[in-house]
PDB file of all heavy atoms in Angstrom:
ATOM      1  N   PHE B  22      74.947  92.056 117.204  1.00 95.00           N
ATOM      2  CA  PHE B  22      75.815  92.513 118.299  1.00 95.00           C
ATOM      3  C   PHE B  22      75.937  94.026 118.209  1.00 95.00           C
ATOM      4  O   PHE B  22      75.506  94.630 117.220  1.00 95.00           O
ATOM      5  CB  PHE B  22      77.203  91.849 118.235  1.00 95.00           C
ATOM      6  CG  PHE B  22      77.956  92.124 116.965  1.00 95.00           C
ATOM      7  CD1 PHE B  22      78.727  93.276 116.831  1.00 95.00           C
ATOM      8  CD2 PHE B  22      77.908  91.217 115.900  1.00 95.00           C
ATOM      9  CE1 PHE B  22      79.434  93.510 115.676  1.00 95.00           C
ATOM     10  CE2 PHE B  22      78.607  91.463 114.741  1.00 95.00           C
ATOM     11  CZ  PHE B  22      79.383  92.609 114.618  1.00 95.00           C
ATOM     12  N   SER B  23      76.497  94.635 119.240  1.00 95.00           N
ATOM     13  CA  SER B  23      76.715  96.086 119.184  1.00 95.00           C
ATOM     14  C   SER B  23      78.003  96.430 119.913  1.00 95.00           C
ATOM     15  O   SER B  23      78.381  95.779 120.887  1.00 95.00           O
ATOM     16  CB  SER B  23      75.535  96.838 119.799  1.00 95.00           C
ATOM     17  OG  SER B  23      75.514  96.615 121.196  1.00 95.00           O
ATOM     18  N   VAL B  24      78.705  97.425 119.399  1.00 96.00           N
ATOM     19  CA  VAL B  24      79.972  97.866 119.995  1.00 96.00           C
ATOM     20  C   VAL B  24      79.944  99.385 120.117  1.00 96.00           C
ATOM     21  O   VAL B  24      79.479 100.081 119.214  1.00 96.00           O
ATOM     22  CB  VAL B  24      81.164  97.463 119.104  1.00 96.00           C
ATOM     23  CG1 VAL B  24      82.472  97.514 119.901  1.00 96.00           C
ATOM     24  CG2 VAL B  24      80.991  96.103 118.481  1.00 96.00           C
ATOM     25  N   GLU B  25      80.456  99.882 121.253  1.00 95.00           N
ATOM     26  CA  GLU B  25      80.533 101.335 121.461  1.00 95.00           C
ATOM     27  C   GLU B  25      81.917 101.841 121.026  1.00 95.00           C
ATOM     28  O   GLU B  25      82.882 101.071 121.020  1.00 95.00           O
ATOM     29  CB  GLU B  25      80.359 101.663 122.955  1.00 95.00           C
ATOM     30  CG  GLU B  25      79.084 101.151 123.568  1.00 95.00           C
ATOM     31  CD  GLU B  25      77.837 101.840 123.010  1.00 95.00           C
ATOM     32  OE1 GLU B  25      77.931 103.021 122.649  1.00 95.00           O
ATOM     33  OE2 GLU B  25      76.778 101.169 122.910  1.00 95.00           O
ATOM     34  N   PRO B  26      82.023 103.138 120.707  1.00 96.00           N
ATOM     35  CA  PRO B  26      83.336 103.692 120.393  1.00 96.00           C
ATOM     36  C   PRO B  26      84.271 103.511 121.593  1.00 96.00           C
ATOM     37  O   PRO B  26      83.851 103.651 122.732  1.00 96.00           O
ATOM     38  CB  PRO B  26      83.055 105.183 120.181  1.00 96.00           C
ATOM     39  CG  PRO B  26      81.632 105.257 119.824  1.00 96.00           C
ATOM     40  CD  PRO B  26      80.950 104.128 120.528  1.00 96.00           C
ATOM     41  N   GLY B  27      85.526 103.155 121.335  1.00 96.00           N
ATOM     42  CA  GLY B  27      86.483 102.924 122.405  1.00 96.00           C
ATOM     43  C   GLY B  27      86.464 101.495 122.928  1.00 96.00           C
ATOM     44  O   GLY B  27      87.198 101.158 123.844  1.00 96.00           O
ATOM     45  N   GLU B  28      85.589 100.675 122.323  1.00 96.00           N
ATOM     46  CA  GLU B  28      85.518  99.275 122.757  1.00 96.00           C
ATOM     47  C   GLU B  28      86.131  98.336 121.721  1.00 96.00           C
ATOM     48  O   GLU B  28      86.102  98.625 120.521  1.00 96.00           O
ATOM     49  CB  GLU B  28      84.059  98.849 122.961  1.00 96.00           C
ATOM     50  CG  GLU B  28      83.447  99.346 124.242  1.00 96.00           C
ATOM     51  CD  GLU B  28      82.042  98.790 124.466  1.00 96.00           C
ATOM     52  OE1 GLU B  28      81.425  98.299 123.505  1.00 96.00           O
ATOM     53  OE2 GLU B  28      81.580  98.860 125.603  1.00 96.00           O
ATOM     54  N   ILE B  29      86.656  97.234 122.203  1.00 97.00           N
ATOM     55  CA  ILE B  29      87.156  96.192 121.293  1.00 97.00           C
ATOM     56  C   ILE B  29      86.216  94.993 121.381  1.00 97.00           C
ATOM     57  O   ILE B  29      85.900  94.527 122.482  1.00 97.00           O
ATOM     58  CB  ILE B  29      88.590  95.766 121.661  1.00 97.00           C
ATOM     59  CG1 ILE B  29      89.558  96.946 121.480  1.00 97.00           C
ATOM     60  CG2 ILE B  29      89.023  94.581 120.807  1.00 97.00           C
ATOM     61  CD1 ILE B  29      90.996  96.629 121.853  1.00 97.00           C
ATOM     62  N   LEU B  30      85.771  94.537 120.221  1.00 97.00           N
ATOM     63  CA  LEU B  30      84.983  93.311 120.156  1.00 97.00           C
ATOM     64  C   LEU B  30      85.874  92.213 119.597  1.00 97.00           C
ATOM     65  O   LEU B  30      86.456  92.358 118.516  1.00 97.00           O
ATOM     66  CB  LEU B  30      83.768  93.495 119.231  1.00 97.00           C
ATOM     67  CG  LEU B  30      82.996  92.210 118.890  1.00 97.00           C
ATOM     68  CD1 LEU B  30      82.174  91.745 120.073  1.00 97.00           C
ATOM     69  CD2 LEU B  30      82.105  92.397 117.667  1.00 97.00           C
ATOM     70  N   ALA B  31      85.998  91.112 120.345  1.00 97.00           N
ATOM     71  CA  ALA B  31      86.749  89.962 119.814  1.00 97.00           C
ATOM     72  C   ALA B  31      85.754  88.998 119.186  1.00 97.00           C
ATOM     73  O   ALA B  31      84.696  88.734 119.753  1.00 97.00           O
ATOM     74  CB  ALA B  31      87.503  89.279 120.942  1.00 97.00           C
ATOM     75  N   VAL B  32      86.063  88.521 117.994  1.00 97.00           N
ATOM     76  CA  VAL B  32      85.213  87.529 117.345  1.00 97.00           C
ATOM     77  C   VAL B  32      85.946  86.199 117.332  1.00 97.00           C
ATOM     78  O   VAL B  32      87.027  86.077 116.760  1.00 97.00           O
ATOM     79  CB  VAL B  32      84.849  87.947 115.911  1.00 97.00           C
ATOM     80  CG1 VAL B  32      83.911  86.924 115.269  1.00 97.00           C
ATOM     81  CG2 VAL B  32      84.211  89.332 115.918  1.00 97.00           C
ATOM     82  N   LEU B  33      85.385  85.214 118.013  1.00 96.00           N
ATOM     83  CA  LEU B  33      86.007  83.898 118.107  1.00 96.00           C
ATOM     84  C   LEU B  33      85.105  82.877 117.430  1.00 96.00           C
ATOM     85  O   LEU B  33      83.891  83.035 117.383  1.00 96.00           O
ATOM     86  CB  LEU B  33      86.175  83.498 119.582  1.00 96.00           C
ATOM     87  CG  LEU B  33      87.294  84.168 120.381  1.00 96.00           C
ATOM     88  CD1 LEU B  33      86.987  84.071 121.863  1.00 96.00           C
ATOM     89  CD2 LEU B  33      88.624  83.501 120.081  1.00 96.00           C
ATOM     90  N   GLY B  34      85.702  81.821 116.939  1.00 94.00           N
ATOM     91  CA  GLY B  34      84.918  80.744 116.335  1.00 94.00           C
ATOM     92  C   GLY B  34      85.831  79.778 115.628  1.00 94.00           C
ATOM     93  O   GLY B  34      86.958  80.141 115.262  1.00 94.00           O
ATOM     94  N   ALA B  35      85.336  78.556 115.448  1.00 91.00           N
ATOM     95  CA  ALA B  35      86.155  77.539 114.786  1.00 91.00           C
ATOM     96  C   ALA B  35      86.421  77.954 113.341  1.00 91.00           C
ATOM     97  O   ALA B  35      85.777  78.868 112.824  1.00 91.00           O
ATOM     98  CB  ALA B  35      85.425  76.204 114.824  1.00 91.00           C
ATOM     99  N   ASN B  36      87.359  77.308 112.680  1.00 90.00           N
ATOM    100  CA  ASN B  36      87.615  77.565 111.255  1.00 90.00           C
ATOM    101  C   ASN B  36      86.319  77.350 110.479  1.00 90.00           C
ATOM    102  O   ASN B  36      85.612  76.370 110.704  1.00 90.00           O
ATOM    103  CB  ASN B  36      88.673  76.596 110.702  1.00 90.00           C
ATOM    104  CG  ASN B  36      90.064  76.976 111.197  1.00 90.00           C
ATOM    105  OD1 ASN B  36      90.332  78.135 111.478  1.00 90.00           O
ATOM    106  ND2 ASN B  36      90.928  75.987 111.321  1.00 90.00           N
ATOM    107  N   GLY B  37      86.012  78.242 109.588  1.00 86.00           N
ATOM    108  CA  GLY B  37      84.827  78.095 108.754  1.00 86.00           C
ATOM    109  C   GLY B  37      83.546  78.562 109.422  1.00 86.00           C
ATOM    110  O   GLY B  37      82.461  78.382 108.885  1.00 86.00           O
ATOM    111  N   SER B  38      83.660  79.170 110.595  1.00 89.00           N
ATOM    112  CA  SER B  38      82.433  79.608 111.272  1.00 89.00           C
ATOM    113  C   SER B  38      81.956  80.956 110.735  1.00 89.00           C
ATOM    114  O   SER B  38      80.899  81.419 111.106  1.00 89.00           O
ATOM    115  CB  SER B  38      82.657  79.677 112.778  1.00 89.00           C
ATOM    116  OG  SER B  38      83.716  80.577 113.068  1.00 89.00           O
ATOM    117  N   GLY B  39      82.754  81.614 109.894  1.00 89.00           N
ATOM    118  CA  GLY B  39      82.287  82.830 109.247  1.00 89.00           C
ATOM    119  C   GLY B  39      82.908  84.117 109.785  1.00 89.00           C
ATOM    120  O   GLY B  39      82.383  85.200 109.551  1.00 89.00           O
ATOM    121  N   LYS B  40      84.039  84.002 110.462  1.00 92.00           N
ATOM    122  CA  LYS B  40      84.660  85.217 111.029  1.00 92.00           C
ATOM    123  C   LYS B  40      85.101  86.178 109.921  1.00 92.00           C
ATOM    124  O   LYS B  40      84.786  87.357 109.955  1.00 92.00           O
ATOM    125  CB  LYS B  40      85.906  84.833 111.870  1.00 92.00           C
ATOM    126  CG  LYS B  40      85.593  83.991 113.091  1.00 92.00           C
ATOM    127  CD  LYS B  40      86.776  83.887 114.037  1.00 92.00           C
ATOM    128  CE  LYS B  40      87.997  83.239 113.426  1.00 92.00           C
ATOM    129  NZ  LYS B  40      87.811  81.823 113.091  1.00 92.00           N
ATOM    130  N   THR B  41      85.824  85.638 108.932  1.00 90.00           N
ATOM    131  CA  THR B  41      86.293  86.491 107.838  1.00 90.00           C
ATOM    132  C   THR B  41      85.118  86.999 107.001  1.00 90.00           C
ATOM    133  O   THR B  41      85.089  88.157 106.580  1.00 90.00           O
ATOM    134  CB  THR B  41      87.295  85.718 106.958  1.00 90.00           C
ATOM    135  OG1 THR B  41      88.401  85.329 107.777  1.00 90.00           O
ATOM    136  CG2 THR B  41      87.810  86.576 105.823  1.00 90.00           C
ATOM    137  N   THR B  42      84.119  86.116 106.804  1.00 91.00           N
ATOM    138  CA  THR B  42      82.936  86.506 106.049  1.00 91.00           C
ATOM    139  C   THR B  42      82.249  87.694 106.715  1.00 91.00           C
ATOM    140  O   THR B  42      81.822  88.635 106.040  1.00 91.00           O
ATOM    141  CB  THR B  42      81.956  85.313 105.975  1.00 91.00           C
ATOM    142  OG1 THR B  42      82.668  84.173 105.530  1.00 91.00           O
ATOM    143  CG2 THR B  42      80.818  85.608 105.037  1.00 91.00           C
ATOM    144  N   LEU B  43      82.177  87.647 108.044  1.00 93.00           N
ATOM    145  CA  LEU B  43      81.548  88.739 108.791  1.00 93.00           C
ATOM    146  C   LEU B  43      82.275  90.046 108.499  1.00 93.00           C
ATOM    147  O   LEU B  43      81.652  91.085 108.243  1.00 93.00           O
ATOM    148  CB  LEU B  43      81.589  88.423 110.284  1.00 93.00           C
ATOM    149  CG  LEU B  43      81.044  89.503 111.218  1.00 93.00           C
ATOM    150  CD1 LEU B  43      79.555  89.676 111.037  1.00 93.00           C
ATOM    151  CD2 LEU B  43      81.355  89.167 112.683  1.00 93.00           C
ATOM    152  N   MET B  44      83.624  90.007 108.495  1.00 92.00           N
ATOM    153  CA  MET B  44      84.403  91.218 108.211  1.00 92.00           C
ATOM    154  C   MET B  44      84.105  91.739 106.815  1.00 92.00           C
ATOM    155  O   MET B  44      83.931  92.935 106.609  1.00 92.00           O
ATOM    156  CB  MET B  44      85.899  90.924 108.278  1.00 92.00           C
ATOM    157  CG  MET B  44      86.357  90.411 109.602  1.00 92.00           C
ATOM    158  SD  MET B  44      87.671  91.439 110.261  1.00 92.00           S
ATOM    159  CE  MET B  44      87.101  91.614 111.945  1.00 92.00           C
ATOM    160  N   LYS B  45      84.076  90.807 105.855  1.00 90.00           N
ATOM    161  CA  LYS B  45      83.869  91.242 104.475  1.00 90.00           C
ATOM    162  C   LYS B  45      82.476  91.829 104.282  1.00 90.00           C
ATOM    163  O   LYS B  45      82.289  92.692 103.422  1.00 90.00           O
ATOM    164  CB  LYS B  45      84.088  90.070 103.517  1.00 90.00           C
ATOM    165  CG  LYS B  45      85.559  89.657 103.450  1.00 90.00           C
ATOM    166  CD  LYS B  45      85.831  88.624 102.374  1.00 90.00           C
ATOM    167  CE  LYS B  45      87.334  88.403 102.271  1.00 90.00           C
ATOM    168  NZ  LYS B  45      87.671  87.364 101.296  1.00 90.00           N
TER     169      LYS B  45
END
Side-chain angles (χ1 to χ4, degrees):
Chain B
F22 60 85
S23 69
V24 198
E25 303 294 328
E28 282 186 343
I29 296 179
L30 170 74
V32 182
L33 284 158
N36 286 332
S38 59
K40 297 192 298 295
T41 300
T42 310
L43 177 67
M44 300 236 134
K45 290 188 174 177

